[in-house]
Amino acid sequence: MLDKNFVDNMFHVKGKVALITGATGALGKAIAKGYGLAGMKVMATGRKEESLKALCEELKAEGIECAYSVGDPAKEEDVKRIVKDTVETFKEINVLVTAAGYNSPKSILNHTLEDWRVIIDADVQGTWLFCKYVGHVLVDQKKGGKVILVSSARSKIGMKNYTGYCTAKAGIDLMAQSLACEWGEYGINVNTFNPTVFRSDLTEWMFNDDTASTKFLTRIPIGRLGEPEDFVGTALFLASSSSDFITGANIPVDGGYWAN
């Protein structure tokens, strides 16, 4: 029923439990902080305990309820343990965000099979494993849930030396669409959002290279590169009840890159 109470609460996420992979990266950290400031409980995960511990200390200093669990998203036993740790710590899971990822740009002629496997394992296998084991929890809880997979604008637009990364992100888009078909009956929404270039340790050089940034900006109608905080609003929207009728979507958060 559309009334004031409905409108006032449609973006309400306070008290929800979010498991965030790649939480110490630029994007994962922004989402973790955004969720926490909105009142969500955050389970952060990644490969490096020192970075996770520092992140949780930073979030707790702002009054955010946070815990962490260390593990490799591409290793099944690690994923099972992280999901178990989350449920033991917070009693449930309501939102999964897969922000972990990896790229190693290189010509296919110079790529090794191992190079390929590292990209696919980090981007596709890790996402699939977390969807599988968090999915068990969400189905068993019988309360629905939100699964948000971080993809890329490169999932639908190829790029030189990106045969691994573009293929991996295209797979994530289709994974979300397939899971949307599987999990609709359980009230679980599965979507991706697809960023273009945003500021991080790996891309900082572009922000300081006038030639590179100017060339790339010819494809960005908004007229600037992204910042990690540009994605927090979309992540909050997809975690809230305001997105209950959206599933299987690949949402560009790209300054208009797909439109140009």
Side-chain angles (χ1 to χ4, degrees):
M1 178 180 177
L2 185 59
D3 56 18
K4 189 175 188 305
N5 183 66
F6 174 85
V7 174
D8 285 345
N9 289 285
M10 64 191 303
F11 294 101
H12 179 79
V13 293
K14 187 174 182 179
K16 287 189 175 185
V17 177
L19 170 55
I20 302 173
T21 78
T24 58
L27 179 56
K29 184 176 181 180
I31 292 173
K33 188 172 183 178
Y35 276 2
L37 292 173
M40 296 177 72
K41 303 171 186 178
V42 175
M43 174 60 87
T45 184
R47 295 180 178 88
K48 297 180 180 179
E49 182 168 11
E50 183 178 354
S51 300
L52 288 167
K53 183 178 180 181
L55 172 62
C56 273
E57 288 175 351
E58 179 183 338
L59 297 183
K60 287 177 179 178
E62 298 205 39
I64 295 168
E65 193 169 347
C66 178
Y68 69 86
S69 183
V70 183
D72 185 336
K75 294 182 178 178
E76 186 172 20
E77 291 307 312
D78 283 9
V79 173
K80 290 166 69 175
R81 175 178 46 75
I82 291 164
V83 173
K84 183 173 181 287
D85 287 347
T86 306
V87 174
E88 289 180 349
T89 302
F90 294 117
K91 310 307 178 188
E92 63 180 355
I93 301 174
N94 309 115
V95 179
L96 169 66
V97 179
T98 59
Y102 175 76
N103 189 21
S104 177
K106 199 179 297 183
S107 163
I108 193 171
L109 302 179
N110 296 322
H111 254 305
T112 65
L113 182 57
E114 182 58 26
D115 290 332
W116 163 269
R117 284 174 173 161
V118 171
I119 296 170
I120 297 302
D121 285 357
D123 293 353
V124 180
Q125 181 167 304
T127 299
W128 187 88
L129 284 169
F130 269 101
C131 287
K132 175 179 175 63
Y133 288 105
V134 172
H136 278 295
V137 174
L138 295 177
V139 170
D140 290 345
Q141 287 174 170
K142 299 180 180 180
K143 297 195 298 184
K146 304 288 187 172
V147 175
I148 304 161
L149 312 182
V150 178
S151 183
S152 169
R154 288 293 166 200
S155 68
K156 302 188 191 305
I157 301 176
M159 184 174 180
K160 181 180 179 180
N161 297 334
Y162 269 47
T163 55
Y165 188 77
C166 290
T167 302
K169 292 302 186 178
I172 289 172
D173 283 2
L174 282 170
M175 190 186 306
Q177 292 170 354
S178 297
L179 287 174
C181 296
E182 288 189 29
W183 288 350
E185 64 185 284
Y186 302 110
I188 301 169
N189 301 77
V190 189
N191 296 288
T192 74
F193 69 84
N194 301 56
T196 187
V197 174
F198 61 90
R199 192 186 303 272
S200 70
D201 289 343
L202 293 177
T203 63
E204 186 68 38
W205 69 273
M206 289 188 69
F207 289 77
N208 299 316
D209 185 325
D210 290 341
T211 300
S213 61
T214 299
K215 182 178 179 181
F216 194 78
L217 287 177
T218 62
R219 293 293 307 277
I220 307 289
I222 290 290
R224 65 173 176 84
L225 301 177
E227 299 289 347
E229 54 267 29
D230 287 323
F231 309 101
V232 174
T234 303
L236 282 165
F237 166 67
L238 291 174
S240 72
S241 62
S242 57
S243 61
D244 281 352
F245 201 57
I246 299 174
T247 195
N250 305 139
I251 301 172
V253 189
D254 63 358
Y257 182 75
W258 276 0
N260 195 358

